[in-house]
Amino acid sequence: MISFCLVAHYAQNLGVPYFGSEQPGDTYYYSPLAVYIFGLVDASCTPEQLHAYGYTEDHGGKGGNNVSSLLMKALHDLSWLTPGKCGKRLSIVMDNCGGQNKNGHVLRLALLLVELHYFKEVEFIFYVRGHTKNLCDRMFNLLKKRYHKSQIYSIKNLTSLLNELDNIFYYHI
């Protein structure tokens, strides 16, 4: 049996379109479409890899239901949810945000994963208030550097730009 550890976090919102340092003219007064990015890092993998799931504000918010759905998608994408094969322990490290992470939707996910026999134990580890940067934050900084030096005109353009980075896998869902 194998144990797994994930670090999960939301990044700061990105906006599309984004014109970098250029003054965009009349479009300056329009509000860009917000892109929410939920990232997960497998803490047991070397080198660390960020799996970032992005979606626009018109397709969902940042609540517990979204976090639970994205955690399940990531576990499936990482092939950690194998029917008939039970992992020993899953530890998921997140910040202490009550609206996103520390709520009934997310906490019930631990029970579901154990009842479906995907893992013998599932635990959520929440940072104390005012936590320092985690693995996701460090990898998000690489995304933001690339984003701020570029001009983004579409979601397709954003997706291809963010996937050019090593050890970062961006999925627009």
Side-chain angles (χ1 to χ4, degrees):
M1 284 194 282
I2 301 173
S3 296
F4 302 97
C5 182
L6 278 179
V7 179
H9 193 51
Y10 266 106
Q12 288 181 333
N13 301 343
L14 301 181
V16 173
Y18 178 74
F19 298 105
S21 60
E22 286 188 21
Q23 179 62 270
D26 292 338
T27 60
Y28 177 79
Y29 297 102
Y30 297 139
S31 296
L33 182 64
V35 178
Y36 304 141
I37 299 177
F38 185 73
L40 298 111
V41 175
D42 176 3
S44 62
C45 181
T46 305
E48 296 149 350
Q49 297 176 342
L50 173 69
H51 297 273
Y53 296 91
Y55 57 98
T56 55
E57 61 187 329
D58 59 330
H59 286 102
K62 287 182 158 184
N65 194 18
N66 301 88
V67 172
S68 297
S69 297
L70 291 169
L71 282 171
M72 286 298 288
K73 177 154 182 50
L75 291 171
H76 182 267
D77 291 349
L78 291 167
S79 300
W80 292 1
L81 300 181
T82 308
K85 185 177 176 187
C86 186
K88 183 177 181 183
R89 172 184 272 188
L90 172 64
S91 301
I92 301 174
V93 181
M94 295 187 282
D95 66 7
N96 206 2
C97 179
Q100 293 171 355
N101 304 328
K102 205 172 186 181
N103 59 55
H105 287 288
V106 176
L107 296 177
R108 282 188 211 110
L109 182 60
L111 299 172
L112 177 70
L113 291 171
V114 171
E115 284 186 22
L116 294 176
H117 301 290
Y118 288 125
F119 300 96
K120 292 227 180 265
E121 295 177 44
V122 176
E123 66 180 346
F124 287 103
I125 301 167
F126 297 103
Y127 286 119
V128 294
R129 190 172 174 180
H131 72 281
T132 57
K133 300 284 183 190
N134 62 33
L135 294 173
C136 287
D137 290 325
R138 189 163 35 98
M139 304 288 275
F140 284 147
N141 286 337
L142 297 172
L143 284 179
K144 286 188 258 179
K145 281 183 183 178
R146 169 78 84 181
Y147 172 80
H148 289 299
K149 291 181 180 179
S150 303
Q151 294 192 358
I152 311 294
Y153 301 104
S154 67
I155 297 297
K156 186 177 179 181
N157 182 232
L158 175 70
T159 302
S160 63
L161 178 84
L162 297 182
N163 276 318
E164 291 174 1
L165 296 162
D166 292 336
N167 300 330
I168 295 178
F169 304 95
Y170 177 80
Y171 315 97
H172 192 78
I173 55 174

